[in-house]
Amino acid sequence: MIIVHHLNNSRSQRVLWLLEELGVAYSVKRYERDPLTLLAPSALREVHPLGKSPVIVDGASTVAETGAIIEYLIGRHGNGRLIPPVDSAQRQRYSYWLHYAEGSLMPLLVMRLVFERVKISPMPFFAKPVARGISNRVDRMMISPQLAIHLDFLEAELSGTDWFAGSEFSAADVQMSFPVEAARAFGAVDGKRPRLADWLLRIHSRPAYARALVAGGPYTLSS
């Protein structure tokens, strides 16, 4: 049975969802973030040297990084499901979104989170206006404009199809779920981007998604 080392409110929720979609048996070992730093506990370093989640253990195989885990699970347990045919245009889109989620979109969202936390971090009172000013300027000059470009791109990409890889739901949609949910949490998925909002509603309505929430525990990005 596959063991999923699962950190609350993290990328590992996607792994639970994919396993539910595939109907693969698994067990969950839960870890909780530090409530102040939001970092993963040091216990995860016993599983992988970087101390990050998700990590899965499947027999003798230990696999980290969400994209690598998705490729592993689809290749070993998918039996051709949730992945477009080889050499199809949909397969090319599938591969693109599988890498785009973490390679292009998530870095912007992580930067946004870091600079938002800078504004509320403990510091001498006289430094707070400076920190807020710098954070707001970086967001205004770089992060928010770039994030808008990316989300408008996603909105346009969904104009002619229901799912990111094409007309069929795939593991690319699973991979894209976390950054789009995070963007919505920042208020960036609103009435101006109805296709993205509709896509979120459709993934949240999938029975496997609901089962993964039960298995993983509280996940604030789903609400």
Side-chain angles (χ1 to χ4, degrees), residues 94-129:
Y94 171 92
S95 180
Y96 174 79
W97 296 116
L98 205 63
H99 293 277
Y100 167 88
E102 293 293 327
S104 293
L105 187 53
M106 273 307 300
L108 284 171
L109 294 163
V110 171
M111 287 180 65
R112 166 68 71 81
L113 177 63
V114 168
F115 278 101
E116 287 296 314
R117 289 196 63 80
V118 165
K119 292 190 287 188
I120 62 174
S121 296
M123 65 185 74
F125 74 92
F126 55 84
K128 287 185 177 181

PDB file of all heavy atoms in Angstrom, residues 94-129:
ATOM      1  N   TYR A  94      -0.911  18.443 -21.899  1.00  0.00           N
ATOM      2  CA  TYR A  94      -0.822  17.777 -20.603  1.00  0.00           C
ATOM      3  C   TYR A  94       0.563  17.971 -19.992  1.00  0.00           C
ATOM      4  O   TYR A  94       0.712  18.369 -18.829  1.00  0.00           O
ATOM      5  CB  TYR A  94      -1.126  16.292 -20.796  1.00  0.00           C
ATOM      6  CG  TYR A  94      -0.866  15.407 -19.597  1.00  0.00           C
ATOM      7  CD1 TYR A  94      -1.882  15.149 -18.688  1.00  0.00           C
ATOM      8  CD2 TYR A  94       0.378  14.801 -19.402  1.00  0.00           C
ATOM      9  CE1 TYR A  94      -1.654  14.312 -17.592  1.00  0.00           C
ATOM     10  CE2 TYR A  94       0.609  13.974 -18.322  1.00  0.00           C
ATOM     11  CZ  TYR A  94      -0.414  13.733 -17.419  1.00  0.00           C
ATOM     12  OH  TYR A  94      -0.188  12.915 -16.344  1.00  0.00           O
ATOM     13  N   SER A  95       1.596  17.709 -20.785  1.00  0.00           N
ATOM     14  CA  SER A  95       2.967  17.836 -20.296  1.00  0.00           C
ATOM     15  C   SER A  95       3.277  19.281 -19.930  1.00  0.00           C
ATOM     16  O   SER A  95       3.933  19.553 -18.911  1.00  0.00           O
ATOM     17  CB  SER A  95       3.944  17.337 -21.370  1.00  0.00           C
ATOM     18  OG  SER A  95       5.280  17.446 -20.924  1.00  0.00           O
ATOM     19  N   TYR A  96       2.788  20.211 -20.745  1.00  0.00           N
ATOM     20  CA  TYR A  96       3.037  21.626 -20.480  1.00  0.00           C
ATOM     21  C   TYR A  96       2.464  22.040 -19.123  1.00  0.00           C
ATOM     22  O   TYR A  96       3.156  22.628 -18.297  1.00  0.00           O
ATOM     23  CB  TYR A  96       2.428  22.487 -21.582  1.00  0.00           C
ATOM     24  CG  TYR A  96       2.527  23.969 -21.292  1.00  0.00           C
ATOM     25  CD1 TYR A  96       3.724  24.644 -21.507  1.00  0.00           C
ATOM     26  CD2 TYR A  96       1.448  24.680 -20.773  1.00  0.00           C
ATOM     27  CE1 TYR A  96       3.839  26.001 -21.222  1.00  0.00           C
ATOM     28  CE2 TYR A  96       1.554  26.028 -20.484  1.00  0.00           C
ATOM     29  CZ  TYR A  96       2.752  26.688 -20.705  1.00  0.00           C
ATOM     30  OH  TYR A  96       2.852  28.018 -20.401  1.00  0.00           O
ATOM     31  N   TRP A  97       1.180  21.728 -18.895  1.00  0.00           N
ATOM     32  CA  TRP A  97       0.542  22.170 -17.653  1.00  0.00           C
ATOM     33  C   TRP A  97       1.114  21.450 -16.440  1.00  0.00           C
ATOM     34  O   TRP A  97       1.179  22.020 -15.346  1.00  0.00           O
ATOM     35  CB  TRP A  97      -0.967  21.963 -17.727  1.00  0.00           C
ATOM     36  CG  TRP A  97      -1.622  22.790 -18.782  1.00  0.00           C
ATOM     37  CD1 TRP A  97      -2.270  22.356 -19.896  1.00  0.00           C
ATOM     38  CD2 TRP A  97      -1.662  24.223 -18.833  1.00  0.00           C
ATOM     39  NE1 TRP A  97      -2.714  23.426 -20.643  1.00  0.00           N
ATOM     40  CE2 TRP A  97      -2.355  24.571 -20.008  1.00  0.00           C
ATOM     41  CE3 TRP A  97      -1.170  25.229 -18.012  1.00  0.00           C
ATOM     42  CZ2 TRP A  97      -2.577  25.904 -20.367  1.00  0.00           C
ATOM     43  CZ3 TRP A  97      -1.389  26.555 -18.361  1.00  0.00           C
ATOM     44  CH2 TRP A  97      -2.080  26.883 -19.533  1.00  0.00           C
ATOM     45  N   LEU A  98       1.563  20.210 -16.633  1.00  0.00           N
ATOM     46  CA  LEU A  98       2.156  19.469 -15.523  1.00  0.00           C
ATOM     47  C   LEU A  98       3.408  20.183 -15.006  1.00  0.00           C
ATOM     48  O   LEU A  98       3.680  20.186 -13.801  1.00  0.00           O
ATOM     49  CB  LEU A  98       2.507  18.047 -15.991  1.00  0.00           C
ATOM     50  CG  LEU A  98       2.583  16.962 -14.919  1.00  0.00           C
ATOM     51  CD1 LEU A  98       1.239  16.747 -14.249  1.00  0.00           C
ATOM     52  CD2 LEU A  98       3.077  15.653 -15.533  1.00  0.00           C
ATOM     53  N   HIS A  99       4.149  20.826 -15.914  1.00  0.00           N
ATOM     54  CA  HIS A  99       5.366  21.533 -15.516  1.00  0.00           C
ATOM     55  C   HIS A  99       5.109  23.009 -15.225  1.00  0.00           C
ATOM     56  O   HIS A  99       5.765  23.596 -14.361  1.00  0.00           O
ATOM     57  CB  HIS A  99       6.431  21.386 -16.601  1.00  0.00           C
ATOM     58  CG  HIS A  99       6.924  19.983 -16.760  1.00  0.00           C
ATOM     59  ND1 HIS A  99       7.902  19.437 -15.949  1.00  0.00           N
ATOM     60  CD2 HIS A  99       6.555  18.987 -17.615  1.00  0.00           C
ATOM     61  CE1 HIS A  99       8.128  18.182 -16.304  1.00  0.00           C
ATOM     62  NE2 HIS A  99       7.325  17.881 -17.312  1.00  0.00           N
ATOM     63  N   TYR A 100       4.157  23.590 -15.932  1.00  0.00           N
ATOM     64  CA  TYR A 100       3.861  25.016 -15.752  1.00  0.00           C
ATOM     65  C   TYR A 100       3.399  25.322 -14.329  1.00  0.00           C
ATOM     66  O   TYR A 100       3.774  26.352 -13.756  1.00  0.00           O
ATOM     67  CB  TYR A 100       2.773  25.432 -16.742  1.00  0.00           C
ATOM     68  CG  TYR A 100       2.157  26.785 -16.457  1.00  0.00           C
ATOM     69  CD1 TYR A 100       2.709  27.947 -16.977  1.00  0.00           C
ATOM     70  CD2 TYR A 100       1.021  26.893 -15.647  1.00  0.00           C
ATOM     71  CE1 TYR A 100       2.148  29.187 -16.705  1.00  0.00           C
ATOM     72  CE2 TYR A 100       0.457  28.128 -15.367  1.00  0.00           C
ATOM     73  CZ  TYR A 100       1.025  29.267 -15.893  1.00  0.00           C
ATOM     74  OH  TYR A 100       0.466  30.495 -15.603  1.00  0.00           O
ATOM     75  N   ALA A 101       2.601  24.457 -13.740  1.00  0.00           N
ATOM     76  CA  ALA A 101       1.998  24.719 -12.429  1.00  0.00           C
ATOM     77  C   ALA A 101       3.051  25.091 -11.395  1.00  0.00           C
ATOM     78  O   ALA A 101       2.908  26.074 -10.660  1.00  0.00           O
ATOM     79  CB  ALA A 101       1.190  23.498 -11.970  1.00  0.00           C
ATOM     80  N   GLU A 102       4.114  24.306 -11.318  1.00  0.00           N
ATOM     81  CA  GLU A 102       5.153  24.558 -10.326  1.00  0.00           C
ATOM     82  C   GLU A 102       6.287  25.411 -10.876  1.00  0.00           C
ATOM     83  O   GLU A 102       6.942  26.132 -10.129  1.00  0.00           O
ATOM     84  CB  GLU A 102       5.717  23.234  -9.809  1.00  0.00           C
ATOM     85  CG  GLU A 102       4.730  22.410  -9.001  1.00  0.00           C
ATOM     86  CD  GLU A 102       4.368  23.083  -7.688  1.00  0.00           C
ATOM     87  OE1 GLU A 102       5.226  23.769  -7.104  1.00  0.00           O
ATOM     88  OE2 GLU A 102       3.229  22.917  -7.232  1.00  0.00           O
ATOM     89  N   GLY A 103       6.529  25.348 -12.194  1.00  0.00           N
ATOM     90  CA  GLY A 103       7.659  26.060 -12.762  1.00  0.00           C
ATOM     91  C   GLY A 103       7.409  27.529 -13.022  1.00  0.00           C
ATOM     92  O   GLY A 103       8.333  28.346 -12.931  1.00  0.00           O
ATOM     93  N   SER A 104       6.147  27.901 -13.322  1.00  0.00           N
ATOM     94  CA  SER A 104       5.848  29.285 -13.683  1.00  0.00           C
ATOM     95  C   SER A 104       4.886  29.974 -12.723  1.00  0.00           C
ATOM     96  O   SER A 104       5.129  31.117 -12.321  1.00  0.00           O
ATOM     97  CB  SER A 104       5.263  29.338 -15.107  1.00  0.00           C
ATOM     98  OG  SER A 104       6.225  28.963 -16.056  1.00  0.00           O
ATOM     99  N   LEU A 105       3.812  29.304 -12.371  1.00  0.00           N
ATOM    100  CA  LEU A 105       2.775  29.970 -11.586  1.00  0.00           C
ATOM    101  C   LEU A 105       3.073  29.987 -10.088  1.00  0.00           C
ATOM    102  O   LEU A 105       2.930  31.022  -9.428  1.00  0.00           O
ATOM    103  CB  LEU A 105       1.418  29.318 -11.855  1.00  0.00           C
ATOM    104  CG  LEU A 105       0.191  29.994 -11.238  1.00  0.00           C
ATOM    105  CD1 LEU A 105       0.123  31.471 -11.593  1.00  0.00           C
ATOM    106  CD2 LEU A 105      -1.085  29.278 -11.699  1.00  0.00           C
ATOM    107  N   MET A 106       3.488  28.858  -9.531  1.00  0.00           N
ATOM    108  CA  MET A 106       3.690  28.794  -8.089  1.00  0.00           C
ATOM    109  C   MET A 106       4.773  29.744  -7.568  1.00  0.00           C
ATOM    110  O   MET A 106       4.615  30.305  -6.478  1.00  0.00           O
ATOM    111  CB  MET A 106       3.999  27.369  -7.642  1.00  0.00           C
ATOM    112  CG  MET A 106       2.770  26.523  -7.354  1.00  0.00           C
ATOM    113  SD  MET A 106       1.593  27.274  -6.185  1.00  0.00           S
ATOM    114  CE  MET A 106       2.587  27.475  -4.721  1.00  0.00           C
ATOM    115  N   PRO A 107       5.882  29.976  -8.292  1.00  0.00           N
ATOM    116  CA  PRO A 107       6.864  30.925  -7.758  1.00  0.00           C
ATOM    117  C   PRO A 107       6.281  32.312  -7.486  1.00  0.00           C
ATOM    118  O   PRO A 107       6.628  32.951  -6.483  1.00  0.00           O
ATOM    119  CB  PRO A 107       7.939  30.971  -8.856  1.00  0.00           C
ATOM    120  CG  PRO A 107       7.870  29.621  -9.480  1.00  0.00           C
ATOM    121  CD  PRO A 107       6.409  29.275  -9.482  1.00  0.00           C
ATOM    122  N   LEU A 108       5.388  32.779  -8.344  1.00  0.00           N
ATOM    123  CA  LEU A 108       4.744  34.079  -8.113  1.00  0.00           C
ATOM    124  C   LEU A 108       3.900  34.052  -6.849  1.00  0.00           C
ATOM    125  O   LEU A 108       3.897  35.007  -6.060  1.00  0.00           O
ATOM    126  CB  LEU A 108       3.865  34.446  -9.307  1.00  0.00           C
ATOM    127  CG  LEU A 108       4.577  34.927 -10.561  1.00  0.00           C
ATOM    128  CD1 LEU A 108       3.581  35.022 -11.716  1.00  0.00           C
ATOM    129  CD2 LEU A 108       5.255  36.269 -10.320  1.00  0.00           C
ATOM    130  N   LEU A 109       3.174  32.968  -6.648  1.00  0.00           N
ATOM    131  CA  LEU A 109       2.304  32.864  -5.485  1.00  0.00           C
ATOM    132  C   LEU A 109       3.112  32.737  -4.197  1.00  0.00           C
ATOM    133  O   LEU A 109       2.720  33.272  -3.154  1.00  0.00           O
ATOM    134  CB  LEU A 109       1.356  31.681  -5.664  1.00  0.00           C
ATOM    135  CG  LEU A 109       0.364  31.850  -6.815  1.00  0.00           C
ATOM    136  CD1 LEU A 109      -0.238  30.510  -7.205  1.00  0.00           C
ATOM    137  CD2 LEU A 109      -0.727  32.836  -6.440  1.00  0.00           C
ATOM    138  N   VAL A 110       4.234  32.034  -4.267  1.00  0.00           N
ATOM    139  CA  VAL A 110       5.104  31.928  -3.094  1.00  0.00           C
ATOM    140  C   VAL A 110       5.684  33.299  -2.752  1.00  0.00           C
ATOM    141  O   VAL A 110       5.755  33.693  -1.578  1.00  0.00           O
ATOM    142  CB  VAL A 110       6.224  30.898  -3.341  1.00  0.00           C
ATOM    143  CG1 VAL A 110       7.257  30.954  -2.219  1.00  0.00           C
ATOM    144  CG2 VAL A 110       5.638  29.495  -3.433  1.00  0.00           C
ATOM    145  N   MET A 111       6.094  34.044  -3.776  1.00  0.00           N
ATOM    146  CA  MET A 111       6.596  35.400  -3.529  1.00  0.00           C
ATOM    147  C   MET A 111       5.527  36.273  -2.878  1.00  0.00           C
ATOM    148  O   MET A 111       5.805  37.030  -1.948  1.00  0.00           O
ATOM    149  CB  MET A 111       7.059  36.035  -4.841  1.00  0.00           C
ATOM    150  CG  MET A 111       8.357  35.482  -5.381  1.00  0.00           C
ATOM    151  SD  MET A 111       8.846  36.279  -6.922  1.00  0.00           S
ATOM    152  CE  MET A 111       9.146  37.955  -6.347  1.00  0.00           C
ATOM    153  N   ARG A 112       4.304  36.168  -3.377  1.00  0.00           N
ATOM    154  CA  ARG A 112       3.210  36.942  -2.785  1.00  0.00           C
ATOM    155  C   ARG A 112       3.047  36.587  -1.314  1.00  0.00           C
ATOM    156  O   ARG A 112       2.902  37.467  -0.454  1.00  0.00           O
ATOM    157  CB  ARG A 112       1.922  36.674  -3.569  1.00  0.00           C
ATOM    158  CG  ARG A 112       0.635  37.133  -2.910  1.00  0.00           C
ATOM    159  CD  ARG A 112       0.494  38.634  -2.825  1.00  0.00           C
ATOM    160  NE  ARG A 112       0.252  39.263  -4.100  1.00  0.00           N
ATOM    161  CZ  ARG A 112      -0.943  39.334  -4.699  1.00  0.00           C
ATOM    162  NH1 ARG A 112      -2.005  38.780  -4.133  1.00  0.00           N
ATOM    163  NH2 ARG A 112      -1.073  39.947  -5.841  1.00  0.00           N
ATOM    164  N   LEU A 113       3.064  35.291  -1.003  1.00  0.00           N
ATOM    165  CA  LEU A 113       2.911  34.843   0.381  1.00  0.00           C
ATOM    166  C   LEU A 113       4.048  35.367   1.252  1.00  0.00           C
ATOM    167  O   LEU A 113       3.815  35.848   2.366  1.00  0.00           O
ATOM    168  CB  LEU A 113       2.862  33.319   0.431  1.00  0.00           C
ATOM    169  CG  LEU A 113       2.781  32.692   1.828  1.00  0.00           C
ATOM    170  CD1 LEU A 113       1.496  33.107   2.527  1.00  0.00           C
ATOM    171  CD2 LEU A 113       2.879  31.167   1.738  1.00  0.00           C
ATOM    172  N   VAL A 114       5.274  35.284   0.758  1.00  0.00           N
ATOM    173  CA  VAL A 114       6.433  35.729   1.539  1.00  0.00           C
ATOM    174  C   VAL A 114       6.328  37.219   1.859  1.00  0.00           C
ATOM    175  O   VAL A 114       6.519  37.643   3.011  1.00  0.00           O
ATOM    176  CB  VAL A 114       7.742  35.425   0.778  1.00  0.00           C
ATOM    177  CG1 VAL A 114       8.921  36.142   1.442  1.00  0.00           C
ATOM    178  CG2 VAL A 114       8.001  33.925   0.739  1.00  0.00           C
ATOM    179  N   PHE A 115       6.007  38.028   0.858  1.00  0.00           N
ATOM    180  CA  PHE A 115       5.948  39.471   1.098  1.00  0.00           C
ATOM    181  C   PHE A 115       4.749  39.863   1.957  1.00  0.00           C
ATOM    182  O   PHE A 115       4.811  40.838   2.712  1.00  0.00           O
ATOM    183  CB  PHE A 115       5.944  40.224  -0.229  1.00  0.00           C
ATOM    184  CG  PHE A 115       7.323  40.393  -0.811  1.00  0.00           C
ATOM    185  CD1 PHE A 115       7.770  39.568  -1.828  1.00  0.00           C
ATOM    186  CD2 PHE A 115       8.181  41.354  -0.308  1.00  0.00           C
ATOM    187  CE1 PHE A 115       9.049  39.706  -2.353  1.00  0.00           C
ATOM    188  CE2 PHE A 115       9.466  41.509  -0.820  1.00  0.00           C
ATOM    189  CZ  PHE A 115       9.899  40.671  -1.852  1.00  0.00           C
ATOM    190  N   GLU A 116       3.655  39.093   1.876  1.00  0.00           N
ATOM    191  CA  GLU A 116       2.532  39.351   2.775  1.00  0.00           C
ATOM    192  C   GLU A 116       2.921  39.053   4.213  1.00  0.00           C
ATOM    193  O   GLU A 116       2.538  39.772   5.134  1.00  0.00           O
ATOM    194  CB  GLU A 116       1.322  38.511   2.359  1.00  0.00           C
ATOM    195  CG  GLU A 116       0.631  38.981   1.102  1.00  0.00           C
ATOM    196  CD  GLU A 116       0.029  40.370   1.266  1.00  0.00           C
ATOM    197  OE1 GLU A 116      -0.623  40.620   2.301  1.00  0.00           O
ATOM    198  OE2 GLU A 116       0.237  41.211   0.365  1.00  0.00           O
ATOM    199  N   ARG A 117       3.716  38.001   4.412  1.00  0.00           N
ATOM    200  CA  ARG A 117       4.135  37.650   5.774  1.00  0.00           C
ATOM    201  C   ARG A 117       5.174  38.626   6.311  1.00  0.00           C
ATOM    202  O   ARG A 117       5.259  38.833   7.520  1.00  0.00           O
ATOM    203  CB  ARG A 117       4.654  36.212   5.818  1.00  0.00           C
ATOM    204  CG  ARG A 117       3.531  35.195   5.656  1.00  0.00           C
ATOM    205  CD  ARG A 117       3.964  33.805   6.071  1.00  0.00           C
ATOM    206  NE  ARG A 117       4.328  33.722   7.478  1.00  0.00           N
ATOM    207  CZ  ARG A 117       3.465  33.620   8.477  1.00  0.00           C
ATOM    208  NH1 ARG A 117       2.165  33.621   8.246  1.00  0.00           N
ATOM    209  NH2 ARG A 117       3.905  33.516   9.718  1.00  0.00           N
ATOM    210  N   VAL A 118       5.978  39.206   5.425  1.00  0.00           N
ATOM    211  CA  VAL A 118       6.933  40.220   5.869  1.00  0.00           C
ATOM    212  C   VAL A 118       6.207  41.368   6.556  1.00  0.00           C
ATOM    213  O   VAL A 118       6.652  41.898   7.583  1.00  0.00           O
ATOM    214  CB  VAL A 118       7.758  40.747   4.674  1.00  0.00           C
ATOM    215  CG1 VAL A 118       8.482  42.049   5.032  1.00  0.00           C
ATOM    216  CG2 VAL A 118       8.766  39.693   4.233  1.00  0.00           C
ATOM    217  N   LYS A 119       5.044  41.740   6.019  1.00  0.00           N
ATOM    218  CA  LYS A 119       4.306  42.890   6.555  1.00  0.00           C
ATOM    219  C   LYS A 119       3.786  42.652   7.961  1.00  0.00           C
ATOM    220  O   LYS A 119       3.554  43.598   8.710  1.00  0.00           O
ATOM    221  CB  LYS A 119       3.152  43.254   5.619  1.00  0.00           C
ATOM    222  CG  LYS A 119       3.606  43.811   4.287  1.00  0.00           C
ATOM    223  CD  LYS A 119       2.462  44.387   3.478  1.00  0.00           C
ATOM    224  CE  LYS A 119       1.572  43.323   2.912  1.00  0.00           C
ATOM    225  NZ  LYS A 119       0.571  43.876   1.962  1.00  0.00           N
ATOM    226  N   ILE A 120       3.585  41.388   8.341  1.00  0.00           N
ATOM    227  CA  ILE A 120       3.019  41.093   9.658  1.00  0.00           C
ATOM    228  C   ILE A 120       4.028  40.432  10.593  1.00  0.00           C
ATOM    229  O   ILE A 120       3.685  40.065  11.711  1.00  0.00           O
ATOM    230  CB  ILE A 120       1.769  40.190   9.528  1.00  0.00           C
ATOM    231  CG1 ILE A 120       2.127  38.838   8.910  1.00  0.00           C
ATOM    232  CG2 ILE A 120       0.682  40.891   8.708  1.00  0.00           C
ATOM    233  CD1 ILE A 120       0.962  37.848   8.899  1.00  0.00           C
ATOM    234  N   SER A 121       5.266  40.276  10.135  1.00  0.00           N
ATOM    235  CA  SER A 121       6.284  39.630  10.968  1.00  0.00           C
ATOM    236  C   SER A 121       6.713  40.546  12.105  1.00  0.00           C
ATOM    237  O   SER A 121       6.723  41.774  11.956  1.00  0.00           O
ATOM    238  CB  SER A 121       7.506  39.263  10.115  1.00  0.00           C
ATOM    239  OG  SER A 121       7.150  38.310   9.134  1.00  0.00           O
ATOM    240  N   PRO A 122       7.086  39.975  13.255  1.00  0.00           N
ATOM    241  CA  PRO A 122       7.574  40.792  14.376  1.00  0.00           C
ATOM    242  C   PRO A 122       8.830  41.555  13.982  1.00  0.00           C
ATOM    243  O   PRO A 122       9.747  40.996  13.371  1.00  0.00           O
ATOM    244  CB  PRO A 122       7.882  39.749  15.458  1.00  0.00           C
ATOM    245  CG  PRO A 122       7.085  38.543  15.083  1.00  0.00           C
ATOM    246  CD  PRO A 122       7.031  38.536  13.592  1.00  0.00           C
ATOM    247  N   MET A 123       8.867  42.828  14.321  1.00  0.00           N
ATOM    248  CA  MET A 123      10.018  43.684  14.043  1.00  0.00           C
ATOM    249  C   MET A 123       9.870  44.964  14.856  1.00  0.00           C
ATOM    250  O   MET A 123       8.772  45.271  15.338  1.00  0.00           O
ATOM    251  CB  MET A 123      10.108  44.005  12.545  1.00  0.00           C
ATOM    252  CG  MET A 123       8.959  44.839  12.004  1.00  0.00           C
ATOM    253  SD  MET A 123       9.055  45.069  10.197  1.00  0.00           S
ATOM    254  CE  MET A 123       8.564  43.423   9.645  1.00  0.00           C
ATOM    255  N   PRO A 124      10.949  45.726  15.024  1.00  0.00           N
ATOM    256  CA  PRO A 124      10.841  47.011  15.735  1.00  0.00           C
ATOM    257  C   PRO A 124       9.776  47.893  15.084  1.00  0.00           C
ATOM    258  O   PRO A 124       9.633  47.905  13.856  1.00  0.00           O
ATOM    259  CB  PRO A 124      12.239  47.604  15.590  1.00  0.00           C
ATOM    260  CG  PRO A 124      13.125  46.421  15.396  1.00  0.00           C
ATOM    261  CD  PRO A 124      12.324  45.429  14.614  1.00  0.00           C
ATOM    262  N   PHE A 125       9.040  48.652  15.903  1.00  0.00           N
ATOM    263  CA  PHE A 125       7.915  49.423  15.394  1.00  0.00           C
ATOM    264  C   PHE A 125       8.323  50.397  14.295  1.00  0.00           C
ATOM    265  O   PHE A 125       7.570  50.636  13.351  1.00  0.00           O
ATOM    266  CB  PHE A 125       7.234  50.180  16.541  1.00  0.00           C
ATOM    267  CG  PHE A 125       8.007  51.375  17.030  1.00  0.00           C
ATOM    268  CD1 PHE A 125       7.777  52.645  16.509  1.00  0.00           C
ATOM    269  CD2 PHE A 125       8.974  51.231  18.012  1.00  0.00           C
ATOM    270  CE1 PHE A 125       8.490  53.745  16.966  1.00  0.00           C
ATOM    271  CE2 PHE A 125       9.692  52.333  18.477  1.00  0.00           C
ATOM    272  CZ  PHE A 125       9.451  53.592  17.947  1.00  0.00           C
ATOM    273  N   PHE A 126       9.542  50.939  14.397  1.00  0.00           N
ATOM    274  CA  PHE A 126       9.977  51.922  13.414  1.00  0.00           C
ATOM    275  C   PHE A 126      10.304  51.284  12.054  1.00  0.00           C
ATOM    276  O   PHE A 126      10.385  51.974  11.036  1.00  0.00           O
ATOM    277  CB  PHE A 126      11.206  52.696  13.912  1.00  0.00           C
ATOM    278  CG  PHE A 126      12.372  51.827  14.307  1.00  0.00           C
ATOM    279  CD1 PHE A 126      13.265  51.362  13.357  1.00  0.00           C
ATOM    280  CD2 PHE A 126      12.566  51.483  15.629  1.00  0.00           C
ATOM    281  CE1 PHE A 126      14.337  50.566  13.723  1.00  0.00           C
ATOM    282  CE2 PHE A 126      13.645  50.681  16.005  1.00  0.00           C
ATOM    283  CZ  PHE A 126      14.532  50.221  15.050  1.00  0.00           C
ATOM    284  N   ALA A 127      10.501  49.949  12.059  1.00  0.00           N
ATOM    285  CA  ALA A 127      10.816  49.255  10.810  1.00  0.00           C
ATOM    286  C   ALA A 127       9.563  48.817  10.056  1.00  0.00           C
ATOM    287  O   ALA A 127       9.624  48.535   8.860  1.00  0.00           O
ATOM    288  CB  ALA A 127      11.698  48.041  11.086  1.00  0.00           C
ATOM    289  N   LYS A 128       8.428  48.758  10.776  1.00  0.00           N
ATOM    290  CA  LYS A 128       7.217  48.241  10.147  1.00  0.00           C
ATOM    291  C   LYS A 128       6.772  49.053   8.930  1.00  0.00           C
ATOM    292  O   LYS A 128       6.443  48.473   7.886  1.00  0.00           O
ATOM    293  CB  LYS A 128       6.090  48.154  11.170  1.00  0.00           C
ATOM    294  CG  LYS A 128       6.271  47.027  12.178  1.00  0.00           C
ATOM    295  CD  LYS A 128       5.072  46.888  13.097  1.00  0.00           C
ATOM    296  CE  LYS A 128       5.259  45.712  14.052  1.00  0.00           C
ATOM    297  NZ  LYS A 128       4.081  45.540  14.950  1.00  0.00           N
ATOM    298  N   PRO A 129       6.743  50.390   8.985  1.00  0.00           N
ATOM    299  CA  PRO A 129       6.338  51.138   7.791  1.00  0.00           C
ATOM    300  C   PRO A 129       7.259  50.895   6.601  1.00  0.00           C
ATOM    301  O   PRO A 129       6.804  50.857   5.451  1.00  0.00           O
ATOM    302  CB  PRO A 129       6.396  52.595   8.251  1.00  0.00           C
ATOM    303  CG  PRO A 129       6.285  52.541   9.737  1.00  0.00           C
ATOM    304  CD  PRO A 129       6.982  51.277  10.139  1.00  0.00           C
TER     305      PRO A 129
END
